[in-house]
Amino acid sequence: MEYNGYLYWGMDLIWWFIWVVLLFWIFATPYPIPGERRKRDSALDILNKQLASGKIKLEEYEQKKKLIGN
């Protein structure tokens, strides 16, 4: 399996580099997969985010939490 003095199984070093970059790009990028089903945030999750960001006050949070039932 020698190719011009190199052991690249018939491919040049550049082609191996291209394949490695391509596979890394496909499998290691943190972008969401199109068409993938994502879990929706529950009402309590949204309420917790609003409290954490300061959009609602603690009293309003507790009232809405009681309405949700948790």
Side-chain angles (χ1 to χ4, degrees):
M1 295 219 175
E2 199 167 312
Y3 181 71
N4 290 339
Y6 300 103
L7 295 174
Y8 295 130
W9 299 279
M11 296 179 84
D12 292 323
L13 182 61
I14 294 171
W15 282 109
W16 281 106
F17 178 74
I18 290 171
W19 278 111
V20 168
V21 169
L22 182 66
L23 290 173
F24 179 79
W25 180 59
I26 290 171
F27 293 110
T29 53
Y31 302 110
I33 299 170
E36 180 182 25
R37 293 184 181 176
R38 294 184 191 103
K39 181 185 147 196
R40 290 186 174 178
D41 290 340
S42 67
L44 186 59
D45 291 336
I46 295 169
L47 191 62
N48 288 334
K49 288 178 185 178
Q50 288 178 348
L51 179 66
S53 65
K55 291 182 180 177
I56 61 173
K57 299 196 184 235
L58 186 60
E59 297 83 21
E60 186 178 356
Y61 170 80
E62 290 173 357
Q63 290 173 354
K64 289 183 179 186
K65 188 175 176 182
K66 285 180 185 177
L67 288 174
I68 292 172
N70 288 336

